[in-house]
């Protein structure tokens, strides 16, 4: 059986939007898995752990405690053992296992009006599975206007970083997104473009001046200050 690309992992804040998931952890995943995602045509499954601070057995214990303790007579959809970690609206979706058919996980959904003490073992096990291993299928990607950096490009091993010149083609210089450089944050990517552009521009200008008689390409003072 042909194996797919290795799974990328990320942990951190997650923003659940009307279009899907976003936020720091989602952006990290898209950065770490950029090349494998392109190879698979941007199709796959995101496995979401809504309780990363707990082991699966601890999640199961918290759920079981709610069926026997103070909250046993309350409706499942109204109160969660994980208040503060899982927003109420998301909790109700996880309980009912419904989001316009976009969520897929083991087990049928639970009636949110059902009382905690009425839950059986199968329902608790299915709810635990959705909490620690919720499968979110995805297909496609945002348009170019919604992306802030692209992965891939000229490998740094093929570039003389003091001048950003090509090691293969004399007089050819690279900068910005032509290079195989991409960071998780926009600030890193902006700085990379500014720095490599400054270096490549200065080296290219110096090459032209050298060909004309050995003059020196002095960078404009203001530009040099901003680049530093």
């Amino acid at each position: 059986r042909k194996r797919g690309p290795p799974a990328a992992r990320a942990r951190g804040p997650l923003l659940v939007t009307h279009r899907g998931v976003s936020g720091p952890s989602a952006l990290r995943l898209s950065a770490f898995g950029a090349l494998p995602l392109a190879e698979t045509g941007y199709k796959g499954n995101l496995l979401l752990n809504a309780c990363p601070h707990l082991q699966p057995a601890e999640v199961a214990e918290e759920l079981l405690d709610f069926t026997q303790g103070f909250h046993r007579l309350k409706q499942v959809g109204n109160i969660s053992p994980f208040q503060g970690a899982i927003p109420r609206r998301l909790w109700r979706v996880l309980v009912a296992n419904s989001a316009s058919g976009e969520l897929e996980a083991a087990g049928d959904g639970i009636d949110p009006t059902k009382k905690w003490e009425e839950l059986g073992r199968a329902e608790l096990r299915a709810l635990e599975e959705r909490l620690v291993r919720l499968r979110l299928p995805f297909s496609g990607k945002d348009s170019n206007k919604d992306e802030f950096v692209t992965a891939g490009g000229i490998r740094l091993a093929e570039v003389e970083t003091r001048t950003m010149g090509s090691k293969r083609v004399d007089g050819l210089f690279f900068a910005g997104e032509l290079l195989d450089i991409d960071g998780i944050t926009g600030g890193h990517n902006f700085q990379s473009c500014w720095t490599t552009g400054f270096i490549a521009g200065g080296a290219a200008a110096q090459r032209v001046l050298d060909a004309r008689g050995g003059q020196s390409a002095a960078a404009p003072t203001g530009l040099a200050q901003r680049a530093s």
Side-chain angles (χ1 to χ4, degrees), residues 188-213:
H188 173 94
N189 298 304
F190 277 131
Q191 186 61 60
S192 174
C193 289
W194 293 331
T195 301
T196 57
F198 181 80
I199 296 172
Q206 186 62 58
R207 178 182 174 85
V208 172
L209 292 174
D210 288 344
R212 291 180 178 178

Side-chain angles (χ1 to χ4, degrees), residues 19-95:
R19 298 176 56 191
V21 293
S22 184
S25 56
L27 293 176
R28 285 195 194 96
L29 276 179
S30 66
F32 298 158
L35 297 181
L37 284 172
E39 293 172 0
T40 58
Y42 299 97
K43 294 182 179 180
N45 293 287
L46 174 67
L47 296 181
L48 174 64
N49 184 350
C51 302
H53 58 294
L54 297 174
Q55 295 296 321
E58 294 175 312
V59 173
E61 184 178 350
E62 292 282 352
L63 294 174
L64 184 60
D65 285 347
F66 256 53
T67 66
Q68 302 170 348
F70 177 77
H71 300 291
R72 67 185 186 280
L73 298 179
K74 296 183 179 180
Q75 294 181 358
V76 179
N78 288 344
I79 188 165
S80 156
F82 315 104
Q83 296 184 70
I86 302 177
R88 176 172 292 186
R89 289 177 62 187
L90 178 58
W91 169 253
R92 290 181 68 88
V93 169
L94 293 171
V95 168

Side-chain angles (χ1 to χ4, degrees), residues 106-139:
D108 296 326
I110 299 170
D111 181 356
T113 64
K114 203 169 186 178
K115 295 178 181 179
W116 273 101
E117 68 173 5
E118 297 173 346
L119 298 185
R121 285 187 178 275
E123 291 173 309
L124 289 173
R125 183 68 184 90
L127 182 54
E128 175 203 332
E129 179 72 8
R130 290 197 290 278
L131 286 167
V132 302
R133 194 177 173 82
L134 181 68
R135 188 163 72 94
L136 302 173
F138 62 86
S139 178

